[in-house]
Amino acid sequence: MPYASSASLCLIFTVVLGLTNCSHASLRFLRGRPKGGMLVAPAAEHVNQKLPEAHWFTQRLDHFDDSNTKTWQQRFFYNDAFHTKPDGPVFVMIGGEGTANPIWLTVGDMMKNAEDFGAFTFLLEHRFYGESRPTSDMSDSSLKYLNSEQALADLATFCQEMALKFNLTNSKWISFGGSYPGSLSAWYRLKYPHLVQGAVASSAPVFATVNFPQYMDVVTASLETTGQDCVRNIDNATKTMQALLTTEEGAKQLTELFELCEPLDKDNVNDVATFANDLSGNFAGVVQYNKDNRAFEGAIGTNITIRTLCGIMNDEGIGAPLARYAKVNSLMLHTYHEQCLDSNYKNFIAALQNTSWSSSASEGGRQWMYQTCTEFGFYQTSDSEKQPFGDLFPLKYSIQQCMDIYGAQFNEENIRSGVTQTNTNYGGYGIAASKIVFPNGSIDPWHALGITKDVSATEQAVFIEGTAHCANMYPANPSDPPQLVEARHQIQQHIMMWLQADS
């Protein structure tokens, strides 16, 4: 049999909890990805019910090379509690750039719909993330098997085998995903329409781009929802910070004020870029997940909102804007149990160069960085004049990271080639498929790369004013705004139409 059960869930919690002491803010929030992936793994104390067991499925290492016969074990979970009719639907949640979390098969909007429609549910972990490790390490030669096309082929193979195993061949399948897995959900419907009858693609950045300065533009606009003062004070703090970077005494002052792990080298352009990027990330991470109901996962920092940060930035009692900027940084360090802020570029690169599965990089940082350097770009740079975080982390800073981690061949020309290939392969904003719904939140910076207007009569956008990244996926809350409640209703209506359709 190509699968075997395992109940080693405690390992998930041990790994996740053991990561919280890492002091590097860039690894805490890397290329828009928080530690643990876009859908953060839960802390053990928040699991108040029995979770589905882990199972294993034999996958091919390379779906596109018939001469390569190597296989590996991919992890998955399932829940058939609501599946009462033999021809009932099947919902499959697609894993992404982090450990697959079986709690998604017990709570959340997909499971609410599973209960309503009597669906069998699966969760498939993405290759090279979590416990789904196709190779002995994460070396460059191993990571060449990490890409979205292989992941989609994994999903297609898995779904066909599960249909046979669980007698689901007469069932209609619908895919679900949020963030990068949201893109995979849409692309799965595009590439394998005979296997999936509809797709929910939440907060899906379907357009790949090398330079993504619009990310910080949306962060800025989201901060401005509290008023103009917050952004103006960030801008003033940034200008003061950049002025201090011109002298040794100023650099020493910044080192102390922002609790750096080691003295800031003002003459090291990459150290300065890392420092500035870390400080902007304090705001970007909060904006991306503002009031998203992640508390059910045990996610750290869910009590910190846009209003929390802007409240600090607007508090004259703290001192000048730079002091308030530092106060925000101290709050984030305390929240994530970090002793100091490590903005040393060499330390950052060294951590992501580690190819061992036992390293901190295996949590997903090295793998996600590789995918951005080969397929997606998504570099959230300071190359826009519409944002208040300065101009210290331009595109060349992100390109340099790819070259320093994986080699000189990962230069801008080759990265652009890979990004172009991704958009050619899937269509980017012009994805030409059917029966896909694209929920996006207006506060979420990723919506700039998503579908926010209807593409066709069967590719519908659900743009949710005032909500953040993947907000529609989380469990409903009495405090949810009406527009989020309506969005979930619209998604359910799409699912109903797909299930009722003849084909």
Side-chain angles (χ1 to χ4, degrees), residues 17 19-23 28 300-301 330-340:
L17 293 173
L19 290 169
T20 59
N21 291 322
C22 179
S23 62
R28 183 211 307 155
I300 296 175
S330 296
L331 171 65
M332 301 307 288
L333 290 175
H334 175 76
T335 299
Y336 287 90
H337 311 294
E338 296 170 356
Q339 300 298 318
C340 55

Side-chain angles (χ1 to χ4, degrees), residues 195-503:
L195 297 180
V196 60
Q197 279 65 49
V200 180
S202 300
S203 298
V206 295
F207 182 74
T209 182
V210 176
N211 200 355
F212 185 22
Q214 298 91 340
Y215 183 96
M216 300 310 299
D217 290 347
V218 179
V219 169
T220 303
S222 298
L223 293 171
E224 285 178 338
T225 59
T226 66
Q228 297 292 322
D229 288 349
C230 183
V231 171
R232 182 169 60 250
N233 287 325
I234 294 172
D235 183 60
N236 288 335
T238 300
K239 288 176 179 176
T240 303
M241 179 186 76
Q242 291 187 255
L244 288 172
L245 284 168
T246 61
T247 67
E248 291 294 344
E249 183 59 34
K252 181 179 179 181
Q253 183 178 341
L254 292 172
T255 297
E256 295 174 354
L257 192 59
F258 288 92
E259 304 176 60
L260 297 185
C261 298
E262 54 189 87
L264 177 61
D265 183 353
K266 70 178 183 62
D267 298 318
N268 186 315
V269 65
N270 287 327
D271 280 0
V272 170
T274 303
F275 174 59
N277 189 46
D278 287 348
L279 299 185
S280 72
N282 287 335
F283 291 83
V286 170
V287 168
Q288 183 166 307
Y289 293 101
N290 189 62
K291 295 182 179 180
D292 61 4
N293 294 347
R294 282 181 303 146
F296 86 95
E297 297 180 294
I300 296 175
T302 54
N303 60 316
I304 302 176
T305 66
I306 290 173
R307 290 196 175 276
T308 305
L309 300 190
C310 285
I312 294 173
M313 290 307 304
N314 296 338
D315 186 353
E316 295 181 358
I318 296 174
L322 184 66
R324 305 173 210 170
Y325 206 39
K327 182 71 172 180
V328 168
N329 184 65
S330 296
L331 171 65
M332 301 307 288
L333 290 175
H334 175 76
T335 299
Y336 287 90
H337 311 294
E338 296 170 356
Q339 300 298 318
C340 55
L341 179 65
D342 184 0
S343 290
N344 182 287
Y345 180 74
K346 286 186 177 180
N347 292 347
F348 168 60
I349 295 301
L352 292 178
Q353 285 177 328
N354 197 321
T355 64
S356 170
W357 284 115
S358 63
S359 70
S360 63
S362 70
E363 172 275 330
R366 176 172 169 81
Q367 302 96 302
W368 179 238
M369 178 71 81
Y370 180 83
Q371 288 195 265
T372 68
C373 295
T374 54
E375 293 189 87
F376 305 128
F378 295 157
Y379 304 138
Q380 296 128 20
T381 69
S382 60
D383 291 342
S384 169
E385 296 180 355
K386 300 177 183 178
Q387 50 83 26
F389 299 101
D391 57 2
L392 296 175
F393 46 102
L395 177 60
K396 63 180 180 181
Y397 169 65
S398 294
I399 300 297
Q400 190 64 50
Q401 292 174 34
C402 292
M403 296 174 67
D404 289 343
I405 296 169
Y406 306 108
Q409 70 273 25
F410 288 84
N411 53 43
E412 183 173 349
E413 180 181 359
N414 288 335
I415 294 171
R416 288 191 181 279
S417 177
V419 166
T420 297
Q421 175 58 30
T422 296
N423 290 328
T424 300
N425 194 18
Y426 301 124
Y429 291 125
I431 180 173
S434 63
K435 297 181 181 178
I436 307 174
V437 61
F438 295 95
N440 276 283
S442 66
I443 289 179
D444 178 18
W446 287 103
H447 85 250
L449 300 182
I451 303 297
T452 57
K453 296 181 179 179
D454 294 349
V455 177
S456 67
T458 59
E459 288 179 279
Q460 300 283 302
V462 178
F463 194 59
I464 317 168
E465 287 292 339
T467 63
H469 198 60
C470 300
N472 60 283
M473 297 181 66
Y474 294 100
N477 188 294
S479 64
D480 286 339
Q483 54 269 34
L484 179 54
V485 175
E486 173 60 23
R488 290 195 178 105
H489 174 70
Q490 291 182 44
I491 294 167
Q492 186 175 70
Q493 291 300 111
H494 281 281
I495 294 172
M496 182 181 298
M497 287 188 293
W498 299 334
L499 295 179
Q500 292 176 348
D502 293 334
S503 59

Side-chain angles (χ1 to χ4, degrees), residues 3-196:
Y3 38 80
S5 65
S6 170
S8 57
L9 296 178
C10 62
L11 177 60
I12 303 173
F13 305 133
T14 301
V15 171
V16 172
L17 293 173
L19 290 169
T20 59
N21 291 322
C22 179
S23 62
H24 208 301
S26 292
L27 297 180
R28 183 211 307 155
F29 194 69
L30 178 65
R31 300 274 164 85
R33 174 193 181 273
K35 185 165 293 186
M38 297 294 185
L39 299 178
V40 185
E45 62 265 24
H46 289 266
V47 179
N48 55 16
Q49 56 186 305
K50 183 179 180 180
L51 296 179
E53 289 187 340
H55 298 261
W56 301 89
F57 175 75
T58 301
Q59 275 290 8
R60 291 181 56 182
L61 178 62
D62 189 340
H63 293 278
F64 308 107
D65 180 2
D66 290 338
S67 67
N68 189 336
T69 59
K70 293 182 180 179
T71 60
W72 59 284
Q73 296 298 302
Q74 186 170 23
R75 189 167 63 162
F76 72 96
F77 305 86
Y78 71 87
N79 182 353
D80 60 355
F82 302 128
H83 190 252
T84 57
K85 297 180 181 179
D87 59 349
V90 181
F91 295 170
V92 56
M93 178 170 280
I94 304 170
E97 68 303 331
T99 298
N101 184 357
I103 200 171
W104 285 103
L105 294 186
T106 64
V107 292
D109 195 55
M110 185 187 80
M111 293 310 297
K112 172 63 169 61
N113 283 305
E115 183 175 6
D116 291 345
F117 293 108
F120 196 117
T121 56
F122 289 101
L123 168 60
L124 181 66
E125 191 168 63
H126 196 295
R127 59 168 55 203
F128 282 95
Y129 292 100
E131 297 299 307
S132 295
R133 302 171 177 179
T135 54
S136 60
D137 61 18
M138 300 180 295
S139 62
D140 294 0
S141 60
S142 294
L143 291 181
K144 70 179 181 180
Y145 298 107
L146 170 59
N147 57 63
S148 57
E149 287 187 281
Q150 294 283 4
L152 291 172
D154 285 342
L155 185 61
T157 302
F158 171 79
C159 290
Q160 290 179 96
E161 290 295 328
M162 292 301 105
L164 293 174
K165 165 62 181 176
F166 292 100
N167 194 26
L168 301 170
T169 54
N170 293 324
S171 298
K172 290 187 175 181
W173 290 63
I174 295 176
S175 60
F176 293 76
S179 196
Y180 164 51
S183 298
L184 291 175
S185 182
W187 297 337
Y188 186 50
R189 172 63 187 164
L190 172 72
K191 293 292 186 178
Y192 299 91
H194 58 295
L195 297 180
V196 60

